[in-house]
Amino acid sequence: MPRSTDRQADPAAATASLAAEAALLEGRLRLLREAIDTVDARIDVVSEALRQLQHAVALPAEGRKHPGETDGARLDHSTRPDRP
């Protein structure tokens, strides 16, 4: 089967094309890594904020009771069916 003239193998052209494609892919990879780093940083910030909120809820302010606390005793939520 004869090769068409536009499909002839030109090693220099193929090398240049592959080098250009590699450069594009490296640029995209760099952008994706930067985006992942940004997302990781945001996850860290949100995680810390959630830890602080959890801590604030776990330790009520002086003289205040936790929700569900009566007469100095908290309700036992360990047997609730909606919790594992």
Coordinates of all heavy atoms in Angstrom, one line a residue:
M1 N 0.9 -1.2 0.0 CA 0.0 0.0 0.0 C 0.9 1.2 0.0 O 1.7 1.4 0.9 CB -0.9 0.0 1.2 CG -1.8 1.1 1.4 SD -2.7 0.9 2.9 CE -4.3 1.3 2.4
P2 N 0.8 2.1 -1.0 CA 1.7 3.3 -1.0 C 1.3 4.3 0.0 O 0.1 4.5 0.3 CB 1.4 3.8 -2.5 CG 0.2 3.2 -2.9 CD -0.1 2.0 -2.1
R3 N 2.3 5.0 0.5 CA 2.1 6.1 1.5 C 1.6 7.3 0.8 O 2.1 7.6 -0.3 CB 3.3 6.4 2.3 CG 3.7 5.3 3.2 CD 4.9 5.8 4.0 NE 5.3 4.9 5.0 CZ 6.1 5.1 6.0 NH1 6.7 6.3 6.1 NH2 6.4 4.2 6.9
S4 N 0.7 8.0 1.4 CA 0.3 9.3 0.8 C 1.4 10.3 1.1 O 2.2 10.2 2.1 CB -1.0 9.7 1.4 OG -0.9 10.7 2.3
T5 N 1.5 11.3 0.3 CA 2.6 12.3 0.4 C 2.5 13.1 1.7 O 3.5 13.5 2.3 CB 2.7 13.2 -0.8 OG1 1.4 13.9 -0.9 CG2 3.0 12.5 -2.0
D6 N 1.3 13.3 2.3 CA 1.2 14.1 3.5 C 1.4 13.3 4.7 O 1.5 13.8 5.8 CB -0.2 14.8 3.6 CG -1.3 13.7 3.6 OD1 -1.1 12.6 3.1 OD2 -2.4 14.1 4.0
R7 N 1.6 12.0 4.6 CA 1.9 11.1 5.7 C 3.3 10.6 5.7 O 3.6 9.7 6.5 CB 0.9 9.9 5.7 CG -0.5 10.3 6.0 CD -1.2 9.0 6.5 NE -2.5 9.3 7.1 CZ -2.7 9.3 8.4 NH1 -1.8 9.0 9.2 NH2 -3.9 9.6 8.8
Q8 N 4.1 11.1 4.9 CA 5.5 10.6 4.8 C 6.2 11.0 6.1 O 6.0 12.1 6.7 CB 6.3 11.2 3.6 CG 5.8 10.6 2.3 CD 6.6 11.2 1.1 OE1 7.3 12.2 1.3 NE2 6.5 10.5 0.0
A9 N 7.1 10.1 6.6 CA 7.7 10.3 7.8 C 8.9 11.3 7.6 O 9.8 11.0 6.9 CB 8.2 9.0 8.4
D10 N 8.8 12.4 8.3 CA 9.9 13.4 8.3 C 10.4 13.4 9.8 O 9.7 14.0 10.6 CB 9.4 14.7 7.8 CG 10.5 15.8 7.8 OD1 11.7 15.4 8.1 OD2 10.2 16.9 7.6
P11 N 11.5 12.8 10.1 CA 12.0 12.7 11.5 C 12.1 14.1 12.1 O 11.8 14.3 13.3 CB 13.3 12.0 11.4 CG 13.3 11.3 10.1 CD 12.4 12.1 9.2
A12 N 12.6 15.1 11.4 CA 12.8 16.4 11.9 C 11.5 17.1 12.3 O 11.3 17.7 13.4 CB 13.6 17.3 11.0
A13 N 10.5 16.9 11.4 CA 9.2 17.5 11.6 C 8.5 16.8 12.8 O 7.8 17.4 13.7 CB 8.3 17.4 10.4
A14 N 8.6 15.4 12.8 CA 8.0 14.7 13.9 C 8.6 15.0 15.3 O 7.9 15.2 16.3 CB 8.2 13.2 13.7
T15 N 9.9 15.2 15.3 CA 10.6 15.6 16.5 C 10.2 17.0 17.0 O 9.9 17.2 18.2 CB 12.2 15.6 16.3 OG1 12.6 14.3 15.9 CG2 12.9 16.0 17.5
A16 N 10.1 17.9 16.0 CA 9.6 19.3 16.4 C 8.2 19.2 16.9 O 7.9 19.9 17.9 CB 9.8 20.2 15.2
S17 N 7.4 18.4 16.3 CA 6.0 18.3 16.7 C 5.9 17.7 18.1 O 5.1 18.2 19.0 CB 5.2 17.5 15.7 OG 3.9 17.3 16.2
L18 N 6.6 16.7 18.3 CA 6.6 16.0 19.7 C 7.2 16.9 20.7 O 6.7 17.0 21.9 CB 7.3 14.7 19.6 CG 6.6 13.6 18.8 CD1 7.6 12.4 18.7 CD2 5.3 13.2 19.5
A19 N 8.2 17.7 20.4 CA 8.8 18.6 21.4 C 7.8 19.7 21.7 O 7.7 20.1 22.9 CB 10.1 19.2 20.8
A20 N 7.1 20.2 20.7 CA 6.1 21.3 21.0 C 4.9 20.7 21.9 O 4.5 21.4 22.8 CB 5.5 21.8 19.7
E21 N 4.5 19.5 21.6 CA 3.4 18.9 22.4 C 3.9 18.6 23.8 O 3.2 18.8 24.7 CB 3.0 17.6 21.7 CG 1.8 17.0 22.3 CD 1.2 15.8 21.6 OE1 1.6 15.5 20.5 OE2 0.3 15.1 22.2
A22 N 5.2 18.2 23.9 CA 5.7 17.9 25.3 C 5.8 19.2 26.1 O 5.4 19.3 27.3 CB 7.1 17.3 25.2
A23 N 6.1 20.3 25.4 CA 6.2 21.6 26.1 C 4.8 22.0 26.6 O 4.6 22.5 27.7 CB 6.8 22.7 25.2
L24 N 3.8 21.8 25.7 CA 2.4 22.1 26.1 C 2.0 21.3 27.3 O 1.3 21.8 28.2 CB 1.4 21.9 24.9 CG 1.4 23.0 23.9 CD1 0.6 22.5 22.7 CD2 0.9 24.3 24.4
L25 N 2.3 20.0 27.2 CA 1.9 19.1 28.3 C 2.6 19.5 29.6 O 2.0 19.4 30.7 CB 2.1 17.7 27.9 CG 1.2 17.1 26.8 CD1 1.7 15.7 26.4 CD2 -0.2 17.1 27.3
E26 N 3.8 19.9 29.6 CA 4.6 20.3 30.8 C 3.9 21.6 31.3 O 3.8 21.7 32.6 CB 6.0 20.5 30.4 CG 6.8 19.2 30.2 CD 8.3 19.4 29.8 OE1 8.6 20.6 29.5 OE2 9.0 18.5 29.8
G27 N 3.5 22.5 30.5 CA 2.8 23.7 31.0 C 1.5 23.4 31.6 O 1.2 23.9 32.7
R28 N 0.8 22.5 31.0 CA -0.5 22.1 31.7 C -0.3 21.3 33.0 O -1.0 21.5 33.9 CB -1.3 21.1 30.7 CG -1.9 21.9 29.5 CD -2.6 20.9 28.6 NE -3.1 21.6 27.4 CZ -3.5 21.0 26.4 NH1 -3.6 19.7 26.3 NH2 -3.9 21.7 25.3
L29 N 0.7 20.5 33.0 CA 1.1 19.8 34.3 C 1.4 20.8 35.4 O 1.0 20.6 36.5 CB 2.2 18.8 34.0 CG 2.7 18.0 35.2 CD1 1.5 17.1 35.7 CD2 3.8 17.1 34.8
R30 N 2.2 21.8 35.0 CA 2.6 22.8 36.0 C 1.3 23.5 36.5 O 1.2 23.7 37.7 CB 3.6 23.8 35.4 CG 4.1 24.8 36.4 CD 5.1 25.8 35.8 NE 4.5 26.6 34.7 CZ 4.8 26.5 33.4 NH1 5.6 25.6 33.0 NH2 4.2 27.3 32.6
L31 N 0.4 23.9 35.6 CA -0.8 24.6 36.1 C -1.7 23.6 37.0 O -2.2 24.1 38.0 CB -1.7 25.0 34.8 CG -1.1 26.1 34.0 CD1 -2.0 26.3 32.8 CD2 -1.1 27.4 34.8
L32 N -1.7 22.4 36.6 CA -2.5 21.4 37.4 C -1.9 21.3 38.8 O -2.6 21.2 39.8 CB -2.6 20.1 36.7 CG -3.6 20.0 35.5 CD1 -3.4 18.7 34.8 CD2 -5.0 20.3 36.0
R33 N -0.6 21.2 38.9 CA 0.1 21.1 40.2 C -0.1 22.3 41.0 O -0.3 22.2 42.2 CB 1.6 20.9 40.0 CG 1.9 19.5 39.5 CD 3.4 19.2 39.4 NE 3.7 17.9 39.1 CZ 4.8 17.4 38.5 NH1 5.7 18.3 38.1 NH2 5.0 16.2 38.2
E34 N -0.1 23.5 40.4 CA -0.4 24.7 41.1 C -1.8 24.7 41.6 O -2.1 25.1 42.8 CB -0.1 26.0 40.3 CG 1.3 26.2 40.0 CD 1.6 27.3 38.9 OE1 0.6 27.9 38.4 OE2 2.8 27.5 38.6
A35 N -2.7 24.3 40.8 CA -4.1 24.2 41.2 C -4.3 23.2 42.4 O -5.1 23.5 43.4 CB -5.0 23.8 40.1
I36 N -3.6 22.1 42.3 CA -3.7 21.1 43.4 C -3.1 21.7 44.7 O -3.7 21.5 45.8 CB -3.0 19.8 43.0 CG1 -3.8 19.1 42.0 CG2 -2.7 18.9 44.2 CD1 -3.1 17.9 41.3
D37 N -2.0 22.4 44.6 CA -1.4 23.1 45.8 C -2.4 24.1 46.4 O -2.5 24.2 47.6 CB -0.1 23.8 45.4 CG 1.0 22.8 45.1 OD1 0.9 21.6 45.5 OD2 2.0 23.2 44.5
T38 N -3.1 24.8 45.5 CA -4.1 25.8 46.0 C -5.2 25.1 46.7 O -5.7 25.5 47.8 CB -4.7 26.6 44.8 OG1 -3.6 27.3 44.2 CG2 -5.7 27.6 45.3
V39 N -5.7 24.0 46.1 CA -6.8 23.2 46.8 C -6.4 22.7 48.1 O -7.1 22.7 49.1 CB -7.3 22.1 45.8 CG1 -8.3 21.2 46.5 CG2 -8.0 22.8 44.6
D40 N -5.1 22.1 48.1 CA -4.6 21.6 49.4 C -4.5 22.7 50.5 O -4.9 22.4 51.6 CB -3.2 21.0 49.2 CG -3.2 19.6 48.5 OD1 -4.3 19.0 48.5 OD2 -2.1 19.2 48.1
A41 N -4.1 23.9 50.1 CA -4.0 25.0 51.1 C -5.4 25.3 51.6 O -5.6 25.6 52.8 CB -3.3 26.2 50.4
R42 N -6.4 25.4 50.7 CA -7.8 25.7 51.1 C -8.3 24.6 52.0 O -9.0 24.9 53.0 CB -8.7 25.8 49.9 CG -8.3 27.1 49.1 CD -9.1 27.2 47.8 NE -10.5 27.5 48.1 CZ -11.5 27.5 47.2 NH1 -11.2 27.3 45.9 NH2 -12.7 27.7 47.5
I43 N -8.0 23.3 51.7 CA -8.5 22.2 52.6 C -7.9 22.4 54.0 O -8.6 22.2 55.0 CB -8.1 20.9 52.0 CG1 -8.9 20.6 50.7 CG2 -8.2 19.7 53.0 CD1 -8.5 19.3 49.9
D44 N -6.6 22.8 54.0 CA -5.9 23.0 55.3 C -6.6 24.1 56.1 O -6.9 24.0 57.3 CB -4.5 23.3 55.2 CG -3.6 22.1 54.7 OD1 -4.1 21.0 54.8 OD2 -2.5 22.3 54.2
V45 N -7.0 25.2 55.4 CA -7.6 26.3 56.1 C -9.0 25.9 56.6 O -9.4 26.2 57.8 CB -7.7 27.5 55.1 CG1 -8.6 28.6 55.7 CG2 -6.4 28.1 54.9
V46 N -9.8 25.2 55.8 CA -11.1 24.8 56.2 C -11.1 23.8 57.3 O -11.8 23.8 58.2 CB -11.9 24.3 54.9 CG1 -13.2 23.6 55.4 CG2 -12.2 25.4 54.0
S47 N -10.1 22.9 57.2 CA -9.9 21.9 58.3 C -9.6 22.5 59.6 O -10.2 22.1 60.6 CB -8.8 20.9 57.9 OG -9.2 20.1 56.8
E48 N -8.8 23.5 59.6 CA -8.4 24.2 60.8 C -9.6 25.0 61.4 O -9.9 25.0 62.6 CB -7.2 25.2 60.6 CG -6.8 25.9 61.8 CD -6.4 25.0 63.0 OE1 -5.9 23.9 62.8 OE2 -6.6 25.4 64.2
A49 N -10.4 25.6 60.5 CA -11.6 26.3 60.9 C -12.6 25.3 61.5 O -13.2 25.6 62.6 CB -12.2 27.1 59.8
L50 N -12.7 24.2 60.9 CA -13.7 23.2 61.5 C -13.2 22.7 62.8 O -14.0 22.5 63.8 CB -13.8 22.0 60.5 CG -14.6 22.3 59.3 CD1 -14.6 21.1 58.3 CD2 -16.1 22.6 59.6
R51 N -11.8 22.5 63.0 CA -11.3 22.0 64.3 C -11.6 23.1 65.4 O -11.9 22.8 66.5 CB -9.8 21.8 64.2 CG -9.4 20.4 63.7 CD -8.0 20.1 63.9 NE -7.1 20.9 63.0 CZ -6.8 20.6 61.7 NH1 -7.3 19.5 61.2 NH2 -6.1 21.4 61.0
Q52 N -11.4 24.4 65.0 CA -11.7 25.4 66.0 C -13.2 25.5 66.3 O -13.5 25.7 67.5 CB -11.2 26.8 65.4 CG -9.7 26.9 65.3 CD -9.3 28.2 64.7 OE1 -10.1 29.0 64.3 NE2 -7.9 28.4 64.6
L53 N -14.0 25.3 65.4 CA -15.5 25.3 65.7 C -15.8 24.1 66.5 O -16.6 24.2 67.5 CB -16.3 25.2 64.4 CG -16.3 26.5 63.6 CD1 -17.0 26.3 62.2 CD2 -17.1 27.6 64.3
Q54 N -15.2 23.0 66.2 CA -15.5 21.8 67.0 C -15.0 22.0 68.5 O -15.7 21.6 69.4 CB -14.8 20.6 66.4 CG -15.4 19.2 66.7 CD -14.7 18.2 65.8 OE1 -13.6 18.3 65.3 NE2 -15.4 17.1 65.6
H55 N -13.9 22.6 68.6 CA -13.3 22.9 69.9 C -14.2 23.9 70.7 O -14.5 23.7 71.9 CB -11.9 23.4 69.8 CG -11.2 23.7 71.1 ND1 -10.8 22.7 72.0 CD2 -10.9 24.8 71.8 CE1 -10.3 23.2 73.0 NE2 -10.3 24.5 72.9
A56 N -14.7 24.9 70.0 CA -15.6 25.9 70.6 C -16.9 25.2 71.1 O -17.4 25.6 72.1 CB -15.9 27.0 69.6
V57 N -17.4 24.3 70.3 CA -18.7 23.6 70.7 C -18.4 22.7 71.8 O -19.2 22.5 72.7 CB -19.3 22.9 69.5 CG1 -20.4 22.0 69.9 CG2 -19.7 23.9 68.4
A58 N -17.2 22.0 71.8 CA -16.9 21.0 72.9 C -16.7 21.7 74.2 O -16.9 21.1 75.3 CB -15.7 20.2 72.5
L59 N -16.2 22.9 74.2 CA -15.9 23.6 75.5 C -16.8 24.9 75.6 O -16.5 25.9 75.0 CB -14.5 24.1 75.6 CG -13.4 23.0 75.5 CD1 -12.0 23.5 75.4 CD2 -13.5 22.1 76.7
P60 N -18.0 24.7 76.3 CA -18.9 25.9 76.4 C -18.2 27.0 77.2 O -17.3 26.8 78.0 CB -20.1 25.3 77.1 CG -19.6 24.2 77.8 CD -18.4 23.6 77.0
A61 N -18.7 28.2 76.9 CA -18.2 29.4 77.7 C -18.5 29.2 79.2 O -19.4 28.5 79.6 CB -18.9 30.7 77.1
E62 N -17.7 29.9 80.0 CA -17.9 29.9 81.4 C -19.3 30.1 81.8 O -19.9 31.1 81.4 CB -17.0 31.0 82.0 CG -16.9 30.9 83.5 CD -16.0 29.9 84.1 OE1 -15.1 29.5 83.3 OE2 -16.1 29.5 85.2
G63 N -19.8 29.2 82.6 CA -21.2 29.3 83.1 C -22.3 29.0 82.2 O -23.5 29.1 82.5
R64 N -22.0 28.5 81.0 CA -23.0 28.2 80.0 C -23.0 26.6 79.9 O -22.1 26.0 80.1 CB -22.7 28.8 78.7 CG -22.7 30.3 78.8 CD -22.4 31.0 77.5 NE -23.5 30.8 76.5 CZ -23.4 31.1 75.2 NH1 -22.3 31.6 74.8 NH2 -24.4 30.9 74.4
K65 N -24.2 26.1 79.5 CA -24.4 24.7 79.3 C -24.3 24.3 77.9 O -24.6 25.1 77.0 CB -25.7 24.3 79.9 CG -25.8 24.5 81.4 CD -27.2 24.0 81.9 CE -27.3 24.3 83.4 NZ -28.6 23.9 83.9
H66 N -23.9 23.1 77.6 CA -24.0 22.5 76.3 C -25.5 22.3 75.9 O -26.3 22.1 76.8 CB -23.4 21.1 76.3 CG -21.9 21.1 76.1 ND1 -21.3 21.4 75.0 CD2 -20.9 20.9 77.0 CE1 -20.0 21.4 75.2 NE2 -19.7 21.0 76.4
P67 N -25.8 22.4 74.6 CA -27.2 22.1 74.3 C -27.6 20.7 74.7 O -26.8 19.7 74.6 CB -27.2 22.1 72.7 CG -26.0 22.9 72.4 CD -25.0 22.7 73.5
G68 N -28.7 20.5 75.3 CA -29.2 19.2 75.8 C -28.8 18.9 77.2 O -29.1 17.9 77.8
E69 N -28.0 19.8 77.8 CA -27.5 19.6 79.2 C -28.5 20.2 80.2 O -29.0 21.3 80.1 CB -26.1 20.3 79.4 CG -25.5 20.0 80.7 CD -24.1 20.7 80.8 OE1 -23.7 21.4 79.8 OE2 -23.5 20.5 81.8
T70 N -28.9 19.3 81.2 CA -29.8 19.8 82.2 C -29.3 19.4 83.6 O -28.7 18.3 83.8 CB -31.2 19.1 82.0 OG1 -31.0 17.7 82.1 CG2 -31.8 19.5 80.7
D71 N -29.4 20.2 84.5 CA -29.0 20.0 85.9 C -27.6 19.4 86.0 O -27.3 18.5 86.7 CB -30.0 19.0 86.6 CG -31.4 19.6 86.7 OD1 -31.5 20.9 86.7 OD2 -32.3 18.8 86.7
G72 N -26.7 20.0 85.2 CA -25.3 19.5 85.3 C -25.0 18.2 84.6 O -23.8 17.7 84.6
A73 N -25.9 17.6 83.9 CA -25.7 16.3 83.2 C -26.1 16.5 81.8 O -27.1 17.1 81.5 CB -26.5 15.2 83.9
R74 N -25.2 15.9 80.9 CA -25.6 15.9 79.5 C -26.4 14.7 79.2 O -26.3 13.7 79.8 CB -24.3 15.9 78.7 CG -23.5 17.1 78.8 CD -22.4 17.1 77.8 NE -21.3 18.1 78.2 CZ -20.1 18.0 77.7 NH1 -19.7 17.1 76.9 NH2 -19.3 19.0 78.1
L75 N -27.2 14.9 78.1 CA -27.9 13.7 77.6 C -27.0 12.8 76.9 O -26.0 13.1 76.3 CB -28.9 14.2 76.5 CG -30.0 15.1 77.0 CD1 -30.9 15.5 75.9 CD2 -30.9 14.4 78.1
D76 N -27.2 11.5 77.0 CA -26.4 10.4 76.4 C -26.9 10.2 75.0 O -27.9 9.7 74.7 CB -26.5 9.1 77.2 CG -25.6 8.0 76.6 OD1 -24.8 8.3 75.8 OD2 -25.8 6.9 77.1
H77 N -26.0 10.6 74.0 CA -26.4 10.5 72.6 C -25.7 9.3 72.0 O -25.8 9.0 70.8 CB -25.9 11.7 71.8 CG -26.6 13.0 72.2 ND1 -27.9 13.2 71.9 CD2 -26.2 14.0 72.9 CE1 -28.3 14.4 72.4 NE2 -27.3 14.9 73.0
S78 N -25.0 8.5 72.8 CA -24.3 7.3 72.3 C -25.2 6.2 71.7 O -24.8 5.4 70.9 CB -23.3 6.8 73.3 OG -24.1 6.3 74.4
T79 N -26.4 6.2 72.1 CA -27.3 5.1 71.7 C -28.3 5.6 70.6 O -29.3 4.9 70.3 CB -28.1 4.5 72.9 OG1 -28.8 5.6 73.5 CG2 -27.1 3.9 73.8
R80 N -28.1 6.8 70.1 CA -29.0 7.3 69.1 C -28.9 6.4 67.8 O -27.8 6.1 67.4 CB -28.6 8.8 68.7 CG -29.0 9.7 69.8 CD -28.7 11.1 69.6 NE -28.9 11.5 68.2 CZ -28.5 12.7 67.7 NH1 -27.9 13.5 68.4 NH2 -28.8 13.0 66.5
P81 N -30.0 6.1 67.2 CA -30.0 5.2 66.0 C -29.4 5.9 64.8 O -28.9 5.2 63.9 CB -31.5 4.9 65.8 CG -32.3 6.0 66.5 CD -31.4 6.5 67.6
D82 N -29.3 7.2 64.8 CA -28.7 7.9 63.6 C -27.2 8.0 63.7 O -26.6 8.6 62.8 CB -29.4 9.3 63.4 CG -29.1 10.2 64.6 OD1 -28.9 9.7 65.7 OD2 -29.1 11.4 64.3
R83 N -26.6 7.5 64.7 CA -25.1 7.5 64.8 C -24.6 6.1 64.8 O -25.2 5.2 65.3 CB -24.7 8.1 66.2 CG -25.1 9.6 66.2 CD -24.3 10.3 67.3 NE -24.7 11.7 67.2 CZ -23.9 12.6 67.7 NH1 -22.8 12.3 68.3 NH2 -24.3 13.8 67.7
P84 N -23.5 5.9 64.2 CA -22.9 4.6 64.1 C -22.3 4.1 65.4 O -22.0 4.8 66.3 CB -21.7 4.8 63.1 CG -21.6 6.2 62.8 CD -22.7 6.9 63.4

